[in-house]
Amino acid sequence: MKKIGKKGWIAIGVVAVLLIAWFLLRGGKKEEKLSFETAKVEKKSIHTSITATGTIEPVTSVTVGTQVSGIVSHLYVDYNSIVKKGQIIAELDRTNLISELNTAKANLASSESTAAYERANYNRYKTLYDKGLVSADEYESALLSFQKAKEDVNTKRESVNKAQTNLGYATITSPIDGVILSKSVEEGQTVAASFNTPELFVIAQDLTNMRVIADIDEADIGGVMEGQRVSFTVDAFPDDHFEGAVTQVRQQATTESNVVTYEVVISAPNNDLKLKPGLTANVTIYTLEKNDILAVPAKALRFIPNEAFLKKGETIEDCEGDHKLWTKEGNVFKAHKVEIGTSNGVMTEIISGIEPGTEVLADFSISGGDMPDQAQQGGNPFMPRPRNNNNNKSNNKSGGNAAPPRQ
């Protein structure tokens, strides 16, 4: 038997490599499988919302102070005391106020005595003047003195009224029915009302009717309107969800650290009294709520077939329109012109153009084959593929970036 030389073994090796390569490229190639995700045109709910934080506070609260200075002699309420309108809640020492009233009354009495004398004097001069026994100058002087005395009586009477009013201010009463939220003084403390009214108490009218003042960013405020539903939580009760509604969108902007926000008032019913003034609320405002409407996933409206991935015998039946949904009926990809409504980016309302219950194409997936994982999972196969500069010219006659028809 003749020996095989070195060159012969090299030739045999080359042939073997070529056979293996041919097998891998031809016989070992996996078949790609294209499948579609469908969605049914059916009744859904579409919601959009924004989030913010706010502070819980009573709807009505009143700050109670005093208009006179003095020492607090008695306190009749404490924190959380329930009070009625007109109820005495504190008293100031009355000693100085009573003295001021007595002084005013004494001054009034003196002024009234002076006025009585000036009246009698005027009457005498008038009688003499009428008989021509005194000059006009003397008569007019008596009249002027009498008028000044009357004016002085009026002034002194007002001083008495003021002193009486100030004495009344020493008794501090509740202006509303409510609950004492804060108390700023103690018995024996001196309050001075020279320049402003000292704050003694804060009274909340009804703790079962609270509100949330939320700060909404300027980018979101355009979608907030009165009447929108709101849900919120507080850290004190993390498992509870509270409901409310937008009652007011305030026009005044607040700028802090170059961030512009607007205050939104939200009702917060509090029948179980869990919500306390000052709690921080984590607010969700539902700026769009549509329930029981026909809708499809928004991605279904972006689905567009392309002949590049059609199997043998499959066709495309297109139509005119800005918005389309696609169905696959046998071997036909059929477009349906639809009118759309609101959308939250995930679901889109369908107003007309397709029957409820219709299965439409929404997405795709590719499995098997030699394509990279990224190519199997990303992109719409019914959109043109990126151009491959290594393809020959004959593969680019139909646009340069479409794959050949599937057989």
Side-chain angles (χ1 to χ4, degrees):
M1 182 175 178
K2 187 175 180 181
K3 283 188 176 182
I4 300 176
K6 183 178 180 180
K7 292 183 178 180
W9 286 112
I10 293 174
I12 292 172
V14 171
V15 171
V17 171
L18 292 174
L19 287 173
I20 294 171
W22 178 85
F23 175 78
L24 293 174
L25 293 174
R26 300 291 297 176
K29 185 176 181 181
K30 298 179 182 178
E31 182 181 358
E32 296 176 4
K33 183 180 180 181
L34 181 65
S35 59
F36 297 97
E37 176 188 338
T38 61
K40 185 178 291 187
V41 181
E42 58 186 354
K43 290 188 175 181
K44 298 280 187 179
S45 295
I46 296 180
H47 297 163
T48 60
S49 63
I50 62 175
T51 58
T53 59
T55 303
I56 294 173
E57 63 180 39
V59 172
T60 302
S61 62
V62 178
T63 300
V64 180
T66 176
Q67 291 184 291
V68 293
S69 302
I71 298 174
V72 179
S73 59
H74 296 92
L75 284 177
Y76 300 106
V77 294
D78 202 348
Y79 292 95
N80 300 333
S81 295
I82 297 175
V83 296
K84 297 294 183 180
K85 183 177 181 180
Q87 177 181 334
I88 298 175
I89 56 179
E91 286 183 326
L92 301 181
D93 181 76
R94 298 170 174 235
T95 303
N96 291 336
L97 297 173
I98 293 175
S99 177
E100 290 175 1
L101 176 59
N102 291 335
T103 300
K105 288 181 176 180
N107 291 335
L108 174 61
S110 175
S111 180
E112 287 175 340
S113 297
T114 301
Y117 168 77
E118 295 295 344
R119 181 185 298 108
N121 189 51
Y122 163 70
N123 289 333
R124 286 195 301 271
Y125 271 91
K126 184 176 185 304
T127 301
L128 296 172
Y129 178 72
D130 291 340
K131 295 179 178 180
L133 299 176
V134 295
S135 65
D137 184 63
E138 291 175 311
Y139 166 75
E140 291 174 357
S141 178
L143 175 62
L144 179 61
S145 296
F146 174 50
Q147 289 175 338
K148 286 183 177 181
K150 289 195 300 182
E151 292 172 358
D152 188 60
V153 169
N154 292 333
T155 301
K156 295 300 191 294
R157 185 173 289 117
E158 290 299 322
S159 296
V160 170
N161 292 338
K162 181 179 179 180
Q164 287 177 331
T165 301
N166 288 340
L167 182 60
Y169 287 149
T171 301
I172 300 166
T173 60
S174 174
I176 59 173
D177 295 345
V179 178
I180 302 294
L181 292 186
S182 71
K183 176 171 67 75
S184 304
V185 293
E186 299 292 342
E187 287 188 3
Q189 183 175 338
T190 300
V191 292
S194 301
F195 301 102
N196 51 31
T197 302
E199 178 182 309
L200 304 184
F201 306 94
V202 175
I203 303 176
Q205 185 173 42
D206 183 8
L207 292 182
T208 64
N209 185 24
M210 306 287 276
R211 65 182 180 182
V212 179
I213 306 297
D215 295 322
I216 307 299
D217 188 87
E218 61 178 326
D220 299 324
I221 195 64
V224 180
M225 293 181 291
E226 292 183 10
Q228 290 173 339
R229 184 171 70 90
V230 179
S231 66
F232 63 92
T233 61
V234 294
D235 293 341
F237 303 98
D239 297 329
D240 293 342
H241 287 77
F242 302 90
E243 296 290 328
V246 175
T247 59
Q248 186 182 52
V249 180
R250 294 177 175 172
Q251 301 297 324
Q252 178 65 40
T254 300
T255 303
E256 184 174 350
S257 299
N258 294 325
V259 177
V260 180
T261 58
Y262 292 83
E263 286 187 344
V264 172
V265 182
I266 300 163
S267 64
N270 188 34
N271 293 328
D272 54 7
L273 298 180
K274 285 186 175 181
L275 300 176
K276 301 182 184 301
L279 288 178
T280 298
N282 303 303
V283 175
T284 300
I285 302 175
Y286 296 92
T287 55
L288 170 65
E289 283 192 294
K290 281 197 170 183
N291 299 312
D292 203 29
I293 58 172
L294 286 181
V296 295
K299 61 184 179 180
L301 290 159
R302 299 190 293 268
F303 190 93
I304 303 176
N306 187 288
E307 294 182 356
F309 268 70
L310 296 182
K311 294 181 180 179
K312 186 175 181 180
E314 292 181 338
T315 59
I316 296 175
E317 187 177 317
D318 204 349
C319 68
E320 296 293 329
D322 295 331
H323 305 286
K324 304 174 188 177
L325 291 174
W326 292 85
T327 58
K328 191 171 187 296
E329 303 172 6
N331 288 332
V332 178
F333 289 89
K334 184 176 180 180
H336 303 264
K337 178 183 176 181
V338 294
E339 180 183 357
I340 67 172
T342 56
S343 176
N344 62 359
V346 178
M347 300 295 295
T348 300
E349 178 186 8
I350 302 299
I351 298 176
S352 63
I354 196 166
E355 291 295 322
T358 304
E359 294 279 349
V360 298
L361 299 174
D363 207 346
F364 81 100
S365 62
I366 300 175
S367 59
D370 297 330
M371 298 178 64
D373 290 343
Q374 293 87 345
Q376 294 185 29
Q377 298 175 1
N380 190 330
F382 290 85
M383 293 295 290
R385 286 189 176 184
R387 181 184 297 274
N388 185 348
N389 292 330
N390 293 328
N391 289 346
N392 58 36
K393 293 181 179 180
S394 62
N395 287 335
N396 294 326
K397 289 181 180 179
S398 63
N401 53 6
R406 296 171 62 90
Q407 300 297 326

